[in-house]
Amino acid sequence: MYSSNEIIETINMISQQHLDVRTITLGISLFDCITDSKQRTCDKIYDKIMSKAGNLVQIGEDISSELGIPIVNKRISVTPISLISAASKGHLEIIKTLDKIADETGIDFLGGYSALVHKAMTPYEKEFLLSIPQALSTTNKICSSINVATSKAGINMDAVALMGKIVKDCAYLTKDKDSIACAKLVVFANAVEDNPFMAGAFLGAGEDDTVVNVGVSGPGVVKTALEHCDGDLTQVAECIKQTAFKITRVGQLVAKEASKRLGASCGIVDLSLAPTPVIGDSVAHILEEIGLESVGACGTTACLAMLNDAVKKGGIMACSNVGGLSGAFIPVSEDAGMIKAAQIGALNLEKLEAMTAVCSVGLDMIAIPGDTPAEVISGIIADEIAIGVVNTKTTAVRVIPVYGKKAGETAEFGGLLGTAPIMNINKYSPSKFISRGGRIPAPLHSNKN
């Protein structure tokens, strides 16, 4: 039960502090849609998703209206399409079907044009990966994620090398839109099966036939709570933990209601503090409230580590089914404080990489010069993926080489994707390293059986 004080507090969080449910993501398994015919596979995919998610947007709006809780996005995730299309080789036809579904349902994004190639690639999987630029440049709402490493398998450097070229191709094909296709593509280490956030959402093989996963947010709520906390860092951590508990209870309430109305399993609540470009909804501003002059200053990584840990501890107390990524996101273009720090030179790529060792994802929504070579992009991916593999955590790269623009200029993506200052990067070449290919073996601690 919720006390009257909790209800009033929640109302204030929503009305004044930007608390929202960032997404309801309905995961739908497509394994029963596999055939050896491209057309039959597409027909089965269309029929199943429309029957399960045709009213997703309306249900989300109804819940939001009834509970008074903003639900920003309604999304769909599906079984990795590389698995579903392998029998028919119909991935290009399936992407058209998924695009049609996204338009007809009115959802914000559909994730799952994905592949799991963390140890090696089959010939078909390589063909699938090479289709990503066309798929993302000819659709508006389809997202793609590729898992190139796990702590158990090591890093598939052949896939890492290929992804650098694919990112470049995505950038070129949408050069008239500040290379926005790259914003719909993420490269993972240790990708999770129940992530509700885009561009990395897909429904894992171990999930139910249909499942609702919810992503909550509330950086503004945490910052407001800290404005009234004058204690030491132990007390700061406790304040964050208590606030995360309250935020998570809101997400759990929405998850239960959505799963009931959609006839789906109630999956997980992702605790991640997901910022937006709106002033007052910034993870960077939380870190500055704790005591940094600007995010990027010395001490930022320690500050972020404390924030991430406290968010997880508070959320786990509030909900028994915490999952997804859960922690604090640091996407540069989607966070007003991160944007400012990058613009004034307080935050650079190297500092961001250090921060990813302790936060929820990785190098996220980072714009770089459009003339960055593919092998340098592969090097950026390899560095970030190595952090995930060695630390047994999920890390990812969503980097955007903005065609025709240089460091110091700005890319405009609009909406939640925001504005990205184009960051300078180290251009000394890792070409020979990347061209070696093969697989970086799993770390010693992977041998736990």
Side-chain angles (χ1 to χ4, degrees), residues 82-327:
S82 65
L83 303 178
I84 305 305
S85 61
S88 65
K89 306 296 189 290
H91 49 284
L92 294 178
E93 289 76 12
I94 289 174
I95 198 68
K96 296 176 184 177
T97 300
L98 296 177
D99 193 38
K100 179 182 178 182
I101 290 168
D103 285 340
E104 292 184 7
T105 57
I107 59 168
D108 298 283
F109 288 107
L110 192 156
Y113 198 75
S114 305
L116 310 176
V117 293
H118 40 273
K119 199 168 187 179
M121 292 180 285
T122 66
Y124 173 68
E125 283 171 326
K126 184 174 182 179
E127 179 184 339
F128 178 88
L129 263 59
L130 290 171
S131 76
I132 289 172
Q134 179 182 345
L136 299 187
S137 63
T138 57
T139 61
N140 293 318
K141 298 180 178 181
I142 306 303
C143 294
S144 178
S145 56
I146 308 300
N147 194 57
V148 298
T150 67
S151 295
K152 198 73 175 174
I155 305 173
N156 180 353
M157 288 300 294
D158 292 324
V160 169
L162 184 58
M163 289 311 300
K165 299 173 183 176
I166 288 170
V167 169
K168 287 284 287 185
D169 288 344
C170 286
Y172 178 77
L173 290 175
T174 50
K175 59 184 178 181
D176 58 333
K177 299 178 181 178
D178 277 349
S179 302
I180 196 169
C182 300
K184 300 186 292 174
L185 172 62
V186 59
V187 184
F188 273 116
N190 296 317
V192 297
E193 296 189 320
D194 53 10
N195 172 20
F197 287 102
M198 298 297 171
F202 64 86
L203 188 72
E207 297 289 320
D208 205 344
D209 191 55
T210 55
V211 57
V212 170
N213 296 318
V214 167
V216 297
S217 191
V221 179
V222 176
K223 181 182 182 299
T224 299
L226 290 174
E227 288 172 0
H228 305 286
C229 178
D230 296 323
D232 63 16
L233 291 175
T234 304
Q235 292 168 302
V236 167
E238 184 65 23
C239 177
I240 296 168
K241 186 172 72 173
Q242 292 175 2
T243 306
F245 176 89
K246 297 166 187 173
I247 293 170
T248 306
R249 293 192 75 183
V250 172
Q252 185 178 37
L253 176 64
V254 171
K256 287 183 177 179
E257 192 61 32
S259 61
K260 182 172 68 175
R261 298 190 191 192
L262 288 163
S265 297
C266 187
I268 59 90
V269 176
D270 188 312
L271 313 176
S272 299
L273 295 179
T276 72
V278 174
I279 300 299
D281 201 22
S282 163
V283 170
H285 291 161
I286 296 174
L287 302 180
E288 290 163 7
E289 185 63 40
I290 293 172
L292 301 174
E293 181 179 3
S294 170
V295 66
C298 297
T300 296
T301 305
C303 210
L304 180 60
M306 180 182 66
L307 171 63
N308 213 51
D309 180 67
V311 166
K312 290 177 185 289
K313 287 174 177 173
I316 288 170
M317 286 289 290
C319 176
S320 57
N321 292 319
V322 167
L325 301 168
S326 289

